[in-house]
Amino acid sequence: MSAQPSFVRTRFAALALMAAVAALPAHADRSGTEETARDAGAPRAAMKPVAPRKTNGSGIEVQFRIDGTPRLGEALPITLSFVGITDPAGATVRFTADAGLSLPAAYLSKLPLSVGQTAPTLTVPVTPMAEGLAYLNVFTTQGGKTSANSVPVQVGKATASKPGGELKSTPSGDRILIVPVP
């Protein structure tokens, strides 16, 4: 039996999945009146800041809300709000995901964020592919400066795991963890 039919089936399944995700609305500037069957009766949680704004960063505060319970193989909507877009040219956001999460192709390129009265929001569907803690990484750029933030997604029970990256010591004796950014 040749490997080609297996390759064709895998490629077809991947294309079908991408087509299904592309058919879903991007949910940009979602008003919150739309409810899904999964969260129809549940009140929505408040947005939480990922991290405080840094003076040398993009100046954009990223806030998030996880809409639902993370389950293996099921799309999990993460609503993100971007506060502090002041550049008249607007800003951009780019997403990456840890190995335990799958991110639709539509979210793998830079997306524009417009300056305006209200904070732009995006709902990014991630699909957990493994149990444990994984992160949706959010990179915002405004005025030539970039900030990096990470939204934690815990699937299953929390376990103590060894952090990825390389642990190094500085000449002053401090220990730092170096984690590469994709």
Side-chain angles (χ1 to χ4, degrees):
M1 184 132 217
S2 109
Q4 186 169 355
S6 175
F7 172 75
V8 171
R9 281 192 300 263
T10 303
R11 189 144 180 104
F12 178 77
L15 289 172
L17 179 62
M18 286 191 302
V21 169
L24 296 172
H27 297 291
D29 294 320
R30 187 171 149 169
S31 66
T33 58
E34 185 179 317
E35 293 182 347
T36 62
R38 185 185 341 197
D39 60 3
R44 295 205 178 230
M47 298 289 266
K48 297 184 268 185
V50 175
R53 287 184 218 187
K54 297 178 180 88
T55 57
N56 62 346
S58 68
I60 299 172
E61 179 182 341
V62 178
Q63 298 178 350
F64 76 99
R65 178 181 67 230
I66 296 178
D67 297 323
T69 302
R71 292 186 181 96
L72 286 178
E74 291 184 23
L76 175 70
I78 299 176
T79 302
L80 299 157
S81 176
F82 305 92
V83 178
I85 300 173
T86 57
D87 190 330
T92 60
V93 62
R94 181 175 61 91
F95 302 101
T96 63
D98 284 357
L101 295 176
S102 174
L103 191 61
Y107 294 94
L108 294 177
S109 61
K110 286 185 179 180
L111 301 172
L113 298 172
S114 301
V115 66
Q117 298 283 343
T118 61
T121 60
L122 289 171
T123 298
V124 179
V126 298
T127 304
M129 304 306 287
E131 287 201 10
L133 180 63
Y135 292 91
L136 170 65
N137 302 302
V138 183
F139 301 93
T140 55
T141 302
Q142 175 176 237
K145 295 181 179 180
T146 301
S147 293
N149 294 281
S150 296
V151 176
V153 177
Q154 176 68 51
V155 180
K157 293 182 180 178
T159 59
S161 64
K162 186 176 181 181
E166 183 180 350
L167 192 60
K168 290 191 173 190
S169 295
T170 65
S172 64
D174 294 327
R175 295 177 64 176
I176 58 173
L177 179 65
I178 299 174
V179 179
V181 176

